[in-house]
């Protein structure tokens, strides 16, 4: 599964009325609890559209021998549909809004051995995305030396871009392991 397929599936999901209206409203009102609840549901539906099974708060996964809402305290964990009793996850997603929690969640995702890691976060102003990227690179990536294999994505929703929801609103960056730098995708 390529990250571009994930991005496309995500946009197909969030432009549906059941997600678009509440996400946009929550962003404008800076209602982070509602934002996180609807974004979690959108991520779950995105995973399902890709043929994955997802576990998250409010989404108990009975597929594994140990039924849980969250695995490894990751907000959303996606698994392939397979007869394997304990499959490795195919993707892990964290959703955070506070700057320090964003850094922690990014570090937590980098500790996982999964093909796709995605951190969703919210900023009031889209210009905050660049400073957030710099902070993650300086505080977490540079000391690490070599980022883990797989795709690591950062998706920033910005309140000031709500007029162009969802395409301008959600800005996607991809971590390039060779350079340990993020580039917009």
């Amino acid at each position: 599964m390529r990250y571009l397929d994930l991005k496309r599936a995500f946009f197909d999901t969030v432009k549906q009325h059941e997600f678009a209206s509440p996400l946009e409203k929550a962003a404008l009102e800076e209602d982070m609890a509602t934002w996180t609840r609807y974004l979690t549901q959108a991520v779950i539906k995105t995973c399902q559209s890709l043929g994955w099974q997802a576990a998250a708060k409010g989404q108990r996964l009975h597929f594994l021998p140990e039924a849980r809402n969250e695995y490894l305290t990751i907000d959303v964990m996606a698994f392939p549909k397979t007869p394997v009793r304990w499959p490795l996850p195919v993707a892990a997603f964290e959703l955070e809004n506070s700057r320090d929690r964003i850094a922690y969640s990014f570090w937590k995702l980098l500790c996982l051995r999964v093909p796709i890691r995605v951190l969703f976060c919210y900023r009031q102003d889209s210009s905050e995305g660049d400073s957030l990227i710099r902070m993650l690179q300086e505080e977490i990536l540079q000391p690490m030396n070599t980022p883990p294999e797989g795709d690591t994505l950062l998706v920033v929703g910005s309140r000031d871009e709500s007029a162009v929801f969802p395409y301008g609103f959600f800005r996607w960056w991809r971590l390039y392991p060779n350079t340990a730098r993020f580039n917009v995708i």
Side-chain angles (χ1 to χ4, degrees):
M1 174 60 53
R2 303 270 312 145
Y3 63 90
L4 291 175
D5 295 330
L6 174 64
K7 181 181 176 184
R8 196 170 310 123
F10 175 76
F11 278 122
D12 287 346
T13 300
V14 295
K15 66 183 179 183
Q16 296 173 20
H17 183 71
E18 69 184 283
F19 297 110
S21 294
L23 280 170
E24 187 174 5
K25 182 178 182 216
L28 290 172
E29 295 174 358
E30 297 183 46
D31 179 355
M32 295 297 92
T34 300
W35 161 264
T36 302
R37 187 175 69 250
Y38 277 97
L39 188 57
T40 299
Q41 292 304 311
V43 170
I44 291 167
K45 188 161 184 179
T46 298
C47 290
Q48 292 169 342
S49 76
L50 293 167
W52 300 336
Q53 299 179 79
K57 282 185 183 171
Q59 177 74 21
R60 190 174 203 78
L61 186 63
H62 296 280
F63 169 70
L64 296 176
E66 181 69 26
R68 299 246 173 201
N69 290 326
E70 287 186 350
Y71 291 94
L72 306 174
T73 69
I74 300 297
D75 291 335
V76 181
M77 187 87 71
F79 297 89
K81 291 183 180 175
T82 176
V84 174
R85 188 166 157 81
W86 288 102
L88 290 176
V90 292
F93 305 84
E94 281 286 293
L95 294 78
E96 289 299 337
N97 303 312
S98 152
R99 191 170 179 92
D100 288 337
R101 295 287 304 174
I102 289 169
Y104 169 68
S105 293
F106 181 66
W107 172 82
K108 190 165 67 163
L109 284 170
L110 291 176
C111 290
L112 298 175
R113 193 177 99 195
V114 292
I116 299 175
R117 292 173 285 281
V118 184
L119 174 57
F120 285 94
C121 54
Y122 172 85
R123 304 283 77 198
Q124 289 185 355
D125 189 290
S126 57
S127 66
E128 295 176 63
D130 292 333
S131 66
L132 181 63
I133 293 285
R134 276 192 303 282
M135 183 266 298
L136 295 175
Q137 287 174 325
E138 292 169 4
E139 293 183 15
I140 298 169
L141 289 170
Q142 287 175 0
M144 189 177 284
N145 293 328
T146 306
E149 292 181 21
D151 286 315
T152 303
L153 308 168
L154 177 66
V155 183
V156 181
S158 302
R159 180 177 187 257
D160 66 334
E161 297 292 338
S162 61
V164 287
F165 190 92
Y167 295 102
F169 184 84
F170 290 103
R171 191 168 178 197
W172 288 63
W173 279 275
R174 179 177 179 236
L175 175 63
Y176 287 81
N178 295 345
T179 62
R181 295 275 182 221
F182 283 95
N183 288 335
V184 174
I185 56 169

